Amino acid sequence: MNRTTVTSGDVARLAKVSQSAVSRTFTPGASVSAKTREKVEAAARELGYRPNALARAMISGRSRTIALLVAYLDNQFYPIVLEQFSRAVQDRGYRVLLFMTDPGNQDAVVEDMMQYQVEAVVMASATLSTGLAQECERAGIPVVLFNRYVPGSPASSVTTDNRAGGRLVADLFLRAQHERIAYIAGAEDSSTNRDREFGFLEGLAAGGKHLHSRAVGGYTFAQAAQAARTLFTQKERPDAVFVGNDHMAFAVLDVLRHELDLVVPREVSVVGFDNVPESGWKGYDLTTVEQPADAMIRETARILFRQLEERQVEKEDAVLPCRLIERGTTHQFDETGAPRHR
Amino acid sequence: MNRTTVTSGDVARLAKVSQSAVSRTFTPGASVSAKTREKVEAAARELGYRPNALARAMISGRSRTIALLVAYLDNQFYPIVLEQFSRAVQDRGYRVLLFMTDPGNQDAVVEDMMQYQVEAVVMASATLSTGLAQECERAGIPVVLFNRYVPGSPASSVTTDNRAGGRLVADLFLRAQHERIAYIAGAEDSSTNRDREFGFLEGLAAGGKHLHSRAVGGYTFAQAAQAARTLFTQKERPDAVFVGNDHMAFAVLDVLRHELDLVVPREVSVVGFDNVPESGWKGYDLTTVEQPADAMIRETARILFRQLEERQVEKEDAVLPCRLIERGTTHQFDETGAPRHR
DNA sequence: ATGAAAGCGCTAACAG
DNA sequence: CTGTTAGCGCTTTCAT
């Protein structure tokens, strides 16, 4: 290991210009004569100079870094969000500092992010204590909750209209005249689950139905499988089930088909939420409510960068529409409402 | 937005100590009297002081940041790696700077990472030009290629024994006495594909067989589906196919079962590579070669942190064993080699 | 154990 | 357009 730290001073000396001239050469909007720029670039190339982004960030007060906090990546929805969001951020000349968190202790992680002088924070499938959100606000750091919503928080949020999504599923079940309708919940303390379930129950009620049974899957594969076993080994088993997200729905389908030998959708209809890629795969072919990931990410980026540009934090809540994607785990109907055969 | 930048100087003034005393209080191994520490902590709390990690990194020359470069996250293998690796890094007091790259222009991204003074680089499903790898080496930045291998490069690497994995699949097909054996390749310029294919062909040859047909899936779902269509609509269709990874194998299974109405494994056996979670799901129940993700990540972290501690870059190549996971897409045999019925 | 002083590598006024 | 001059917030000798 050797002295490989080439500084702008070294370049200046070799190019016989001032150190500021070097700085200007590497600053997009600065004014340098073609001749100076040339000399500097030649010297920089010769020495293998690279500006130190940390020093730059320190003095300019802009780290060009955005923190992304994610709780888990086994649900395919999040890797996709992560990938697209990272690309969006990179395209705008920013970097992503990634933090994996447990659904509990985010606050310690946020502390860490702030020490790194991130300019903004995005939390996917995770929330922030209102206290810390306020602190971020005071520090001028915009925070966006992605796919979560916290009523009193100063943090912005981007969600789909989960309640409307739940209602779409209820309507579908009503149309198919199901009798014993069940719900498998995600994490009960999440806003997504609350809203989906609320919309679903609301929709059923509007059609004069009530829930036959309910279990909790906690947004995990294993727990959802267990929930399915519980619900479908009752004396009177459900003939339709709405599962809080696709990831759990796959577990439910596995149990129904391969452990309980039920035929979907003939004996039971299943609907998920998210429309992750696997839902479109023929091995599952899952009817689901689509969350418009692309649009959600675009909104997130828009909110974030607007606040960064205007240099002020201003809460904004974006709620995007979702739509039902009917596939093979539910009965199909044609335009007249008559059952359609596949 | 306001002057919320509380510095160690502010804390020092309030606590009536020197600025260095504040610094020491926040430096783990430093010597401060209990009394001073107390005063400083009280003042810091009162002002809401948080050390600036950037300034700290600049002066100490240690950013405690590791760059992670990933090409795509739609193959579930990588999100899992990403999650586990991030956690491993965080546990050791480092942060992850994430970069999504296209399989082509990594070098520009690497340039960016180096400006941010990362202490190490991990490249997953991507490679680095030997030139830049050398530059990293010279700069004292360890580089680990995860799941890739580049012969002449000074970068370290962590891979599974892909060649042995290919041979395992060949042996399985030989044991099942398949006649028309096909291969669907991943990205042809990747070391993983080269090694898997080489081991597979080697294994077939050892059993006196040769490949019946071959197509390229490029590690993508869509291209793999197309490859399956091509291979399985020949006059003489294969009775067994080894697919370069699980992600492509799902596409292949969808085409075989739902477009071509073939029964797996009765009419055709299918084997993948990786053992991603979906392979264990009953909707696919895919026979595959397991890559030991946990062990690979442990090795990556070990190599990286050893080099960071010893403060010198020293190439190391870890090759981990893989094993066959037999599931429902191939015929089962008992210990005696006789077919077993499921 | 503590404070004073010297920078880390760079940008941002400010003159010229 | 260019060089000079101050720092950004912190760690790290070096005395005391």
Side-chain angles (χ1 to χ4, degrees):
Chain A
M1 202 121 106
N2 33 27
R3 260 270 112 308
T4 8
T5 338
V6 180
T7 72
S8 55
D10 300 335
V11 176
R13 209 168 309 119
L14 181 63
K16 295 191 199 310
V17 295
S18 75
Q19 184 266 345
S20 346
V22 178
S23 173
R24 290 192 183 99
T25 306
F26 286 92
T27 304
S31 57
V32 221
S33 69
K35 207 166 51 193
T36 306
R37 146 159 280 125
E38 218 164 280
K39 284 195 294 187
V40 170
E41 283 177 342
R45 211 172 6 251
E46 184 174 336
L47 298 176
Y49 170 71
R50 226 187 304 275
N52 182 326
L54 260 35
R56 189 176 266 194
M58 211 170 96
I59 189 136
S60 66
R62 322 214 60 212
S63 66
R64 307 216 122 228
T65 297
I66 290 176
L68 180 52
L69 221 138
V70 188
Y72 44 77
L73 294 176
D74 41 359
N75 171 356
Q76 260 303 108
F77 186 65
Y78 292 106
I80 288 169
V81 165
L82 184 52
E83 170 163 354
Q84 297 195 158
F85 182 73
S86 297
R87 293 193 195 277
V89 164
Q90 283 171 233
D91 287 349
R92 301 189 197 221
Y94 277 70
R95 334 270 161 280
V96 170
L97 206 52
L98 176 71
F99 293 89
M100 293 300 314
T101 168
D102 304 297
N105 68 336
Q106 285 84 336
D107 284 16
V109 172
V110 173
E111 196 58 41
D112 209 47
M113 307 175 341
M114 293 187 75
Q115 293 191 12
Y116 270 83
Q117 313 298 110
V118 299
E119 292 187 38
V121 176
V122 174
M123 319 222 359
S125 70
T127 52
L128 188 59
S129 73
T130 302
L132 259 176
Q134 280 166 345
E135 202 170 331
C136 288
E137 187 194 19
R138 247 180 285 121
I141 301 175
V143 177
V144 179
L145 304 180
F146 184 94
N147 211 17
R148 285 292 183 281
Y149 178 73
V150 179
S153 175
S156 296
S157 71
V158 175
T159 53
T160 38
D161 192 342
N162 289 295
R163 193 166 145 189
R167 234 176 292 125
L168 286 175
V169 180
D171 291 346
L172 177 67
F173 285 171
L174 255 26
R175 226 182 310 148
Q177 316 211 345
H178 286 295
E179 289 300 325
R180 297 178 305 284
I181 300 175
Y183 180 65
I184 295 184
E188 293 197 275
D189 59 349
S190 67
S191 63
T192 45
N193 182 73
R194 267 199 311 278
D195 294 347
R196 287 168 198 177
E197 183 164 7
F198 186 82
F200 184 56
L201 295 180
E202 192 178 51
L204 290 185
K209 291 266 183 221
H210 63 273
L211 205 62
H212 170 266
S213 46
R214 177 186 189 276
V216 179
Y219 287 147
T220 74
F221 194 86
Q223 205 185 331
Q226 199 48 55
R229 285 183 200 106
T230 306
L231 288 184
F232 285 85
T233 50
Q234 306 170 80
K235 315 161 282 304
E236 278 237 294
R237 64 167 157 71
D239 59 3
V241 57
F242 174 30
V243 189
N245 73 3
D246 289 355
H247 188 66
M248 295 194 295
F250 302 132
V252 171
L253 282 168
D254 279 0
V255 168
L256 296 184
R257 288 171 169 157
H258 300 276
E259 289 183 23
L260 306 176
D261 288 316
L262 294 172
V263 177
V264 176
R266 213 190 59 214
E267 296 175 287
V268 49
S269 289
V270 178
V271 178
F273 207 109
D274 282 349
N275 193 30
V276 297
E278 289 95 325
S279 302
W281 295 1
K282 294 301 176 190
Y284 289 97
D285 198 31
L286 176 70
T287 292
T288 187
V289 179
E290 177 192 58
Q291 297 215 73
D294 290 25
M296 290 173 78
I297 287 155
R298 253 197 318 276
E299 275 305 290
T300 305
R302 192 187 57 68
I303 291 176
L304 232 47
F305 287 104
R306 185 180 60 71
Q307 300 195 23
L308 287 179
E309 271 156 29
E310 297 177 5
R311 298 191 136 281
Q312 66 171 302
V313 179
E314 200 180 333
K315 180 183 170 69
E316 193 172 336
D317 294 303
V319 180
L320 281 71
C322 50
R323 67 196 176 96
L324 189 68
I325 313 265
E326 297 190 52
R327 296 208 184 91
T329 56
T330 50
H331 300 286
Q332 308 280 310
F333 297 89
D334 63 21
E335 306 69 37
T336 72
R340 172 191 291 159
H341 296 288
R342 306 164 24 90
Chain B
M1 202 122 103
N2 34 27
R3 258 274 111 302
T4 8
T5 337
V6 180
T7 72
S8 55
D10 300 335
V11 176
R13 209 167 309 118
L14 181 63
K16 294 190 198 309
V17 296
S18 74
Q19 183 267 345
S20 342
V22 178
S23 172
R24 289 191 184 102
T25 306
F26 286 92
T27 304
S31 57
V32 223
S33 70
K35 207 166 48 192
T36 305
R37 147 160 279 126
E38 218 164 281
K39 284 194 293 185
V40 169
E41 282 176 344
R45 211 174 5 252
E46 185 174 335
L47 298 176
Y49 170 69
R50 226 186 302 274
N52 183 326
L54 259 35
R56 188 176 265 193
M58 212 172 92
I59 190 138
S60 68
R62 321 214 62 212
S63 66
R64 307 215 122 229
T65 297
I66 290 176
L68 180 52
L69 220 138
V70 187
Y72 44 76
L73 293 176
D74 41 359
N75 170 357
Q76 260 302 108
F77 186 65
Y78 291 106
I80 288 169
V81 165
L82 184 52
E83 170 164 354
Q84 297 195 159
F85 182 73
S86 298
R87 293 192 194 275
V89 164
Q90 283 171 235
D91 288 348
R92 300 187 198 223
Y94 278 71
R95 334 269 161 281
V96 170
L97 207 51
L98 175 70
F99 294 89
M100 292 301 312
T101 168
D102 304 296
N105 69 337
Q106 286 82 338
D107 285 17
V109 172
V110 173
E111 196 60 40
D112 209 47
M113 306 174 342
M114 294 186 74
Q115 293 191 12
Y116 270 82
Q117 313 298 110
V118 299
E119 292 188 40
V121 177
V122 173
M123 319 222 359
S125 71
T127 52
L128 188 59
S129 73
T130 303
L132 259 177
Q134 281 166 345
E135 202 169 329
C136 289
E137 188 194 18
R138 247 180 285 120
I141 301 175
V143 178
V144 178
L145 304 180
F146 184 94
N147 211 19
R148 284 294 183 279
Y149 177 74
V150 179
S153 176
S156 296
S157 72
V158 174
T159 54
T160 38
D161 192 343
N162 289 295
R163 192 166 146 191
R167 234 176 291 126
L168 286 175
V169 180
D171 291 347
L172 176 67
F173 285 170
L174 255 25
R175 226 181 309 148
Q177 315 213 346
H178 285 296
E179 288 300 324
R180 297 178 305 283
I181 299 174
Y183 179 66
I184 294 183
E188 294 197 274
D189 59 350
S190 68
S191 63
T192 44
N193 183 73
R194 267 199 310 280
D195 294 347
R196 287 168 198 178
E197 182 164 7
F198 186 82
F200 184 57
L201 296 180
E202 191 177 50
L204 290 184
K209 291 268 182 221
H210 62 275
L211 206 60
H212 169 267
S213 47
R214 175 185 189 278
V216 178
Y219 286 146
T220 74
F221 194 86
Q223 205 184 331
Q226 199 47 56
R229 286 182 199 105
T230 307
L231 288 183
F232 286 85
T233 50
Q234 307 170 78
K235 317 161 281 304
E236 280 237 295
R237 65 169 156 70
D239 59 2
V241 57
F242 174 30
V243 189
N245 72 4
D246 289 355
H247 187 66
M248 296 195 295
F250 302 133
V252 171
L253 282 169
D254 278 0
V255 168
L256 297 184
R257 289 172 168 155
H258 300 276
E259 289 183 21
L260 307 176
D261 287 316
L262 293 171
V263 177
V264 177
R266 211 189 59 213
E267 295 176 287
V268 47
S269 290
V270 178
V271 179
F273 208 108
D274 281 349
N275 193 30
V276 297
E278 289 95 324
S279 302
W281 296 359
K282 294 301 176 190
Y284 288 97
D285 198 30
L286 176 68
T287 293
T288 188
V289 179
E290 176 192 59
Q291 296 215 72
D294 289 24
M296 290 173 78
I297 286 154
R298 254 197 316 277
E299 276 304 290
T300 304
R302 193 187 56 67
I303 292 176
L304 231 47
F305 286 104
R306 186 180 59 71
Q307 300 194 23
L308 286 180
E309 271 156 30
E310 298 176 3
R311 298 190 134 280
Q312 66 171 301
V313 179
E314 201 178 333
K315 181 184 170 69
E316 192 172 337
D317 293 303
V319 180
L320 282 73
C322 49
R323 68 198 176 94
L324 189 68
I325 312 267
E326 297 190 53
R327 296 206 184 92
T329 58
T330 51
H331 300 286
Q332 308 280 312
F333 297 90
D334 63 21
E335 307 67 38
T336 72
R340 171 190 294 160
H341 295 289
R342 305 163 27 84

